[in-house]
Amino acid sequence: MKHFIGYGYPFDGSDRANRHIAAHELLEYYVPPFKAAIDAGVATAMESYGVVNGEAVTISNYYLRKLLREQLGFKGMLVTDWGEINSQATMYHTAEDLTQATQLALERTSIDMSMVADDSSFANITAGLVKRGIVSDSRLDESVARILQLKKDLGLFKHPYTDQALASTVGSAQDIEAARDAVRESVTLLKNNNVLPLNKYEKVLFVGPTLNSTRYMGGGWNVHWQGPSDAEGDSIYQGFGDTVIKGVQQVTGSVPLYMPGVDIDGTTLIDIDTVIATAKLADKIVVGLGEKTYAENVGNIDSLVLPWQQLNLVYTLARKAKKPIVVVLVEGRPRRLDRIPDVAAAIVQAYLPGSYGGLPIAEILYGAVNPSGRLPYSYPATEAQASTTIWQSSYVAYNPQWAFGYGLGYSKVTYSNVTLSSNVLHPGEPITASVSVTNNGLYAQKESVMLFTHQQYRVGYAPELYRLRNFVKVDLAAGETKNVTLELKAEDLSFWDRDLKRRIEPAPVNVVINPYTQTDLIAVVDLVANANDVLEHL
């Protein structure tokens, strides 16, 4: 479980930047995923780089003992991120030297292990602090006990070495298929002007660096910290993995027509005259855009826009070839697309699908798999929308390029007959929302049915635009209708106030199904509760 806590909301988008998050908003929006993991029995955790509201996480008694251990009930082993104890002195200036940094981490927090592979200062300094009585034996015992318990739970005392025969399972057929299935259900179709799926008998030109690369599909922490080097390329995978181009060949049974067109850095068009001439003879063009591999601070960027020559490749082909263009995005974050949403006939968000993502992407392009992924974030249309969320205050304009939860398939799915089991919602008395979901298309469809809420008003605190409360993914055969039922609890609508009290404000609540695919699916329930009742207090 990582990184605890708030690491995903740096104020300027750069790695390790300060996170300015009000205490009650931290509890409301950032803690719940960690609580879910802890409730599910997670055994280990890693704290996050940097500072939250100016306070260094690594030496924070509040974050790493009171919140993590006492409030959330985490019992497992806690490790730092790379070198974070030393960084208190060398980077953040929150400790005088390594000795003070180590002492603070041990005295104030429940950290059990310092992650450093090439530095013995933590062990040496800790031993010295214990010998001088500055850090108690009981504090050392606390962490040693958790580490030993983890080793016992893993069976390391009985079997300290791995079974070498397990090496033969690396890259097994079942693991590859599991990886591919994850991609098949994640890739998100963002636009389609009836140009997808492709027909295997059409003449399609494939262009762009991300379509013929395994490493670009994996991003950072893929083989190495920053991914494979240019010198290593895809050869480092030793035959494991595929590419979109290889996937297309597998799906169609013929070698696809591929040209790089532009470098991954987006600085240089490659043999563009030949690309244009070839594109004019094609029926359709598929362009792969995206990013080179990166991790942490190496991935810091000054602009969200994709590199210019990547964009220019699409614009040039649209202007001169005048053929339908499908853009496939291979990216670990939503980069701004400039005029691409207007120019492209179809847009596919492949995210970072991993080394075996090529075949599933090809299957989706050719209709062997019907796309069913939904956006896990709000895709920004402008730089100012970088921090836009579905849970921002409802009075603030929300007009991203694509909304949270958005995604298309090759079948037209419609919703109807939204009903509630009760028009009143009390604490301790869940209700259900039911909706009929119909696949009106020719393709079998996996459909995500999502239940959102919007509180019409909340005394003293601006309600969010929407909050996702429940969802289920259902399989629909062509022409099939299913009735889907989702539960809603009054406690789902509780919130943390500035006094760090979790409570419920009574008010009418809109229950909304998939608001950005069908806007008229709204039912209203009256949320009844005592606003003074405190469910939880920190």
Side-chain angles (χ1 to χ4, degrees):
M1 178 181 76
K2 57 190 288 189
H3 297 85
F4 191 84
I5 178 83
Y7 188 43
Y9 197 67
F11 82 99
D12 67 352
S14 63
D15 187 61
R16 301 198 193 195
N18 192 2
R19 285 89 79 187
H20 302 292
I21 308 172
H24 63 292
E25 292 189 339
L26 187 84
L27 295 171
E28 181 70 26
Y29 304 117
Y30 299 91
V31 166
F34 292 94
K35 184 180 187 306
I38 292 168
D39 290 346
V42 68
T44 63
M46 179 183 291
E47 55 80 41
S48 69
Y49 280 131
V51 300
V52 175
N53 299 322
E55 182 181 7
V57 174
T58 306
I59 54 176
S60 168
N61 176 263
Y62 172 72
Y63 294 123
L64 299 189
R65 189 170 287 279
K66 290 183 178 179
L67 180 58
L68 179 63
R69 300 289 188 181
E70 298 172 13
Q71 181 68 21
L72 299 179
F74 177 63
K75 306 296 185 185
M77 190 272 290
L78 176 62
V79 64
T80 72
D81 209 328
W82 187 268
E84 271 297 271
I85 292 178
N86 289 0
S87 291
Q88 305 308 308
T90 62
M91 179 181 295
Y92 309 124
H93 310 294
T94 55
E96 180 180 7
D97 52 28
L98 300 189
T99 298
Q100 186 182 48
T102 302
Q103 180 180 339
L104 292 172
L106 292 170
E107 288 181 342
R108 294 183 176 183
T109 83
S110 62
I111 284 172
D112 300 312
M113 182 182 294
S114 175
M115 187 172 70
V116 282
D118 53 4
D119 177 15
S120 60
S121 61
F122 175 74
N124 294 334
I125 292 172
T126 298
L129 292 171
V130 172
K131 288 177 180 178
R132 299 201 308 275
I134 297 173
V135 172
S136 67
D137 287 348
S138 62
R139 173 63 185 90
L140 190 64
D141 292 344
E142 175 190 340
S143 286
V144 170
R146 283 192 288 257
I147 293 170
L148 292 176
Q149 184 65 51
L150 178 63
K151 290 183 176 182
K152 180 183 178 183
D153 293 342
L154 292 172
L156 294 180
F157 293 128
K158 291 184 177 180
H159 304 286
Y161 302 107
T162 188
D163 181 355
Q164 294 186 4
L166 292 175
S168 63
T169 67
V170 174
S172 66
Q174 66 179 19
D175 290 351
I176 292 171
E177 194 61 19
R180 284 174 168 162
D181 281 342
V183 180
R184 290 174 180 124
E185 293 204 35
S186 300
V187 169
T188 307
L189 180 61
L190 298 176
K191 179 181 179 180
N192 186 22
N193 288 349
N194 297 317
V195 69
L196 290 177
L198 302 172
N199 186 312
K200 65 175 62 178
Y201 300 107
E202 293 175 316
K203 186 174 183 180
V204 181
L205 172 63
F206 294 87
V207 186
T210 58
L211 298 182
N212 198 32
S213 169
T214 302
R215 62 179 174 133
Y216 295 150
M217 294 193 297
W221 290 111
N222 155 34
V223 180
H224 306 305
W225 176 41
Q226 295 298 324
S229 67
D230 291 341
E232 291 168 328
D234 286 353
S235 63
I236 197 168
Y237 296 100
Q238 302 178 45
F240 293 99
D242 60 18
T243 67
V244 176
I245 294 302
K246 289 179 180 177
V248 170
Q249 181 171 354
Q250 189 170 338
V251 170
T252 64
S254 59
V255 178
L257 181 60
Y258 170 75
M259 307 179 76
V262 65
D263 66 312
I264 190 65
D265 293 314
T267 59
T268 306
L269 293 176
I270 300 171
D271 201 12
I272 189 61
D273 291 337
T274 303
V275 173
I276 293 170
T278 306
K280 289 180 178 179
L281 301 176
D283 297 313
K284 295 174 181 176
I285 307 166
V286 176
V287 182
L289 306 180
E291 302 179 290
K292 67 189 304 180
T293 61
Y294 63 86
E296 300 177 26
N297 60 301
V298 178
N300 288 346
I301 52 178
D302 296 323
S303 172
L304 293 178
V305 184
L306 276 173
W308 163 243
Q309 290 296 4
Q310 286 199 29
L311 301 174
N312 191 33
L313 173 64
V314 177
Y315 301 151
T316 301
L317 289 171
R319 186 175 65 254
K320 297 190 175 182
K322 302 186 186 305
K323 298 295 175 68
I325 295 176
V326 177
V327 169
V328 178
L329 301 171
V330 179
E331 55 182 7
R333 52 193 166 184
R335 299 293 296 267
R336 272 190 58 219
L337 302 177
D338 196 52
R339 294 186 292 110
I340 296 295
D342 298 321
V343 173
I347 300 176
V348 176
Q349 173 59 289
Y351 310 100
L352 292 179
S355 57
Y356 280 99
L359 177 60
I361 293 171
E363 291 172 334
I364 287 170
L365 290 175
Y366 279 90
V369 171
N370 194 350
S372 62
R374 299 294 180 261
L375 277 181
Y377 45 62
S378 300
Y379 203 115
T382 67
E383 300 283 323
Q385 292 176 349
S387 59
T388 292
T389 67
I390 195 74
W391 41 263
Q392 65 190 30
S393 298
S394 58
Y395 68 88
V396 179
Y398 180 76
N399 55 353
Q401 190 70 60
W402 295 286
F404 172 88
Y406 183 77
L408 305 171
Y410 294 145
S411 287
K412 174 66 174 178
V413 176
T414 56
Y415 295 75
S416 61
N417 303 323
V418 180
T419 59
L420 302 178
S421 60
S422 173
N423 59 5
V424 180
L425 181 58
H426 294 276
E429 301 177 18
I431 66 170
T432 58
S434 298
V435 60
S436 294
V437 187
T438 301
N439 180 358
N440 299 290
L442 301 176
Y443 296 84
Q445 179 79 48
K446 291 181 181 290
E447 179 70 7
S448 294
V449 183
M450 296 174 280
L451 187 156
F452 293 80
T453 61
H454 166 67
Q455 193 159 340
Q456 293 183 10
Y457 65 87
R458 190 166 64 190
V459 174
Y461 292 83
E464 300 94 343
L465 175 63
Y466 286 115
R467 292 289 297 274
L468 178 64
R469 302 301 186 183
N470 205 341
F471 71 93
V472 65
K473 199 168 192 178
V474 297
D475 292 300
L476 294 170
E480 183 180 12
T481 297
K482 283 186 177 179
N483 191 60
V484 178
T485 300
L486 296 168
E487 185 179 75
L488 178 65
K489 301 176 182 178
E491 290 81 2
D492 294 337
L493 290 113
S494 65
F495 72 101
W496 290 92
D497 65 19
R498 65 168 303 180
D499 297 320
L500 303 189
K501 297 177 181 179
R502 187 167 69 89
R503 54 190 184 84
I504 300 171
E505 277 286 347
V509 174
N510 293 349
V511 178
V512 189
I513 305 296
N514 293 31
Y516 293 101
T517 55
Q518 194 165 328
T519 58
D520 57 348
L521 294 168
I522 299 175
V524 179
V525 64
D526 193 18
L527 177 61
V528 178
N530 186 336
N532 294 319
D533 287 347
V534 178
L535 282 67
E536 205 171 350
H537 188 197
L538 284 182

